[in-house]
Amino acid sequence: MANKRPKPAEIVTKLRQVEVLTGQGMPRLDAIRQIGVTEQTYYRWKKKYGGMGADQLKELKRLQKENERLRKAVSDLTLDKL
């Protein structure tokens, strides 16, 4: 059975949890293990979602939906043109 992928809001929460634990003096690797992800996954998440708040996350999701809608419209118009 495959593991479920965390939602972006859950990822931001886990990143914040690592920041809190390292601020309390826990080594970063131990904090990463405590949230239940690998070091590679943590750094990938940090690169993509690091520093985001809830508002920025909602805006990102809205922009991704709009981008998907626009791509579909362009592809439909291209097919019509052909």
Side-chain angles (χ1 to χ4, degrees):
M1 181 180 239
N3 293 339
K4 76 168 194 151
R5 292 180 184 232
K7 297 186 186 309
E10 295 170 349
I11 293 172
V12 170
T13 303
K14 287 184 178 190
L15 290 175
R16 180 70 182 129
Q17 188 177 4
V18 170
E19 289 177 16
V20 168
L21 291 173
T22 56
Q24 293 174 348
M26 182 181 282
R28 184 176 306 272
L29 288 176
D30 292 340
I32 292 170
R33 287 187 196 118
Q34 188 169 349
I35 65 167
V37 297
T38 63
E39 188 177 1
Q40 180 181 6
T41 301
Y42 168 76
Y43 285 112
R44 187 171 4 104
W45 285 354
K46 188 173 178 181
K47 183 178 179 183
K48 186 171 183 180
Y49 299 105
M52 277 193 184
D55 295 336
Q56 292 171 329
L57 194 58
K58 288 178 185 177
E59 180 68 13
L60 175 65
K61 189 173 182 179
R62 186 189 66 76
L63 289 172
Q64 286 174 341
K65 279 186 175 181
E66 183 178 354
N67 192 21
E68 183 180 331
R69 183 186 62 80
L70 291 172
R71 284 182 189 211
K72 186 174 181 179
V74 168
S75 67
D76 288 347
L77 288 173
T78 303
L79 288 174
D80 290 344
K81 187 177 180 181
L82 293 175

